[in-house]
Amino acid sequence: STDEHGRCSGLITKEAFTAGMYKIRFETGQYWENLGQTSFYPYVEIVFTITDLDQTFHLPLLLSRYAYTTYRGR
């Protein structure tokens, strides 16, 4: 779940955050169901690779009932 700003702070500790491949799964169908609506995508999985641990990462998911997009923010 996210906070009031749509962020998942505390998702991973700095000590556990190592270079490698990661996958985040968003339960988008459940989100829309909780709002009393249906959606086309029951979930969204984003797979990404981290190589430089000194960078800051922001991984937005922009969502509607029938579409989504994501990008690497900073």
Side-chain angles (χ1 to χ4, degrees):
S1 61
T2 61
D3 65 16
E4 65 274 4
H5 302 288
R7 298 178 188 255
C8 299
S9 53
L11 185 63
I12 189 169
T13 64
K14 186 162 181 72
E15 296 77 31
F17 192 60
T18 60
M21 187 181 305
Y22 289 84
K23 177 171 65 173
I24 296 179
R25 179 178 169 128
F26 295 90
E27 298 294 336
T28 53
Q30 184 65 50
Y31 169 79
W32 289 109
E33 186 178 309
N34 289 344
L35 295 175
Q37 299 182 37
T38 60
S39 72
F40 185 69
Y41 298 102
Y43 62 89
V44 173
E45 289 184 334
I46 302 171
V47 179
F48 57 98
T49 303
I50 301 298
T51 56
D52 184 353
L53 297 176
D54 292 327
Q55 293 183 348
T56 301
F57 298 94
H58 179 67
L59 191 64
L61 174 66
L62 308 175
L63 181 65
S64 77
R65 289 175 45 206
Y66 303 106
Y68 69 89
T69 187
T70 186
Y71 61 92
R72 180 188 171 215
R74 292 184 187 226

